[in-house]
Amino acid sequence: AQSVSQHNHHVILSEAASLELGCNYSYGGTVNLFWYVQYPGQHLQLLLKYFSGDPLVKGIKGFEAEFIKSKFSFNLRKPSVQWSDTAEYFCAVNEPSGANNLFFGTGTRLTVIP
Amino acid sequence: DSGVTQTPKHLITATGQRVTLRCSPRSGDLSVYWYQQSLDQGLQFLIQYYNGEERAKGNILERFSAQQFPDLHSELNLSSLELGDSALYFCASSVDPRSTDTQYFGPGTRLTVL
């Protein structure tokens, strides 16, 4: 079975600081990778996804993620965070050959201080 | 607004009772997914339907069942409720069941079992 680890449970940053949230997965085969964000009181929405090709993926709102196959990692980055980035961030994976059910990490809560 | 609607938003009930959660997918989406988000288990995939047929099953208890109707809306039935069933239940939808297809999440139904 697949598992996804997000080691940072709560990250607190000041505005304009750079962000990197870790995501590691355990699975021997090929995976599709996703980052979702949940703003306070809102639904989960997709930030970015990686299936194949360029391992550096750009998403919405200035976020990007890098897939490093040798490290089984898909870390999320943003060069300069804003107060509006305060939210919970979830990494997820699924199998390309399988059904579209997502395996989620436990989430990282990001608090950005103005 | 993702276009996925869920009713009710909140549900408070007692142990041993049965409840039904409803989900309407985005217009044009044929695949529906149910997820449970709890403090101890995180976000877990429960079940997926595609065009009325069950497509994949995750960690769904035998006390829980779901179905997708001809108009593509879906219902999740939870019976013999226990305190531990208290959670946020999300529905998501996608156009088709391929693993690369983006899932759009609804706002969730918060179930409290007393």
Side-chain angles (χ1 to χ4, degrees):
Chain A
Q2 302 197 31
S3 70
V4 180
S5 299
Q6 292 181 247
H7 301 294
N8 310 106
H9 294 295
H10 191 188
V11 172
I12 302 173
L13 295 172
S14 298
E15 273 194 318
S18 64
L19 169 72
E20 181 158 3
L21 301 182
C23 172
N24 290 89
Y25 65 93
S26 65
Y27 182 65
T30 307
V31 293
N32 298 321
L33 296 149
F34 306 79
W35 275 99
Y36 277 84
V37 61
Q38 188 174 26
Y39 297 103
Q42 294 190 28
H43 59 274
L44 280 156
Q45 52 187 292
L46 183 69
L47 273 180
L48 48 79
K49 57 186 179 182
Y50 172 78
F51 303 142
S52 62
D54 188 344
L56 186 61
V57 182
K58 293 196 185 299
I60 61 171
K61 307 187 180 190
F63 286 91
E64 64 178 31
E66 185 176 12
F67 171 53
I68 302 179
K69 190 174 181 179
S70 60
K71 294 185 178 180
F72 297 90
S73 70
F74 189 55
N75 292 354
L76 182 70
R77 300 195 294 244
K78 185 170 185 179
S80 175
V81 294
Q82 301 171 323
W83 176 78
S84 57
D85 293 323
T86 295
E88 188 134 18
Y89 293 81
F90 293 91
C91 181
V93 305
N94 68 14
E95 298 174 47
S97 59
N100 195 2
N101 45 300
L102 295 169
F103 294 88
F104 282 91
T106 50
T108 297
R109 182 183 301 174
L110 172 65
T111 301
V112 180
I113 302 168
Chain B
D1 185 0
S2 65
V4 179
T5 59
Q6 291 187 246
T7 55
K9 285 188 177 177
H10 302 278
L11 201 47
I12 301 174
T13 188
T15 54
Q17 295 298 304
R18 172 190 169 93
V19 297
T20 297
L21 313 183
R22 183 189 169 102
C23 167
S24 293
R26 291 187 324 152
S27 177
D29 285 359
L30 299 179
S31 201
V32 169
Y33 312 79
W34 286 98
Y35 292 87
Q36 178 195 58
Q37 185 179 32
S38 61
L39 283 174
D40 53 344
Q41 302 278 359
L43 251 171
Q44 286 198 100
F45 166 74
L46 295 178
I47 197 163
Q48 177 195 4
Y49 280 83
Y50 173 66
N51 209 17
E53 300 290 324
E54 184 184 301
R55 177 88 175 182
K57 227 170 185 176
N59 295 325
I60 187 166
L61 300 171
E62 283 191 14
R63 300 183 285 109
F64 296 1
S65 65
Q67 59 185 129
Q68 186 179 26
F69 294 87
D71 67 352
L72 301 175
H73 90 272
S74 178
E75 292 181 357
L76 179 67
N77 300 295
L78 315 177
S79 61
S80 303
L81 285 167
E82 302 175 359
L83 295 176
D85 297 328
S86 294
L88 198 51
Y89 291 84
F90 286 107
C91 168
S93 72
S94 66
V95 173
D96 62 40
R98 288 177 303 167
S99 64
T100 53
D101 206 28
T102 298
Q103 292 182 36
Y104 295 87
F105 282 77
T109 292
R110 184 171 294 281
L111 173 66
T112 302
V113 182
L114 301 175

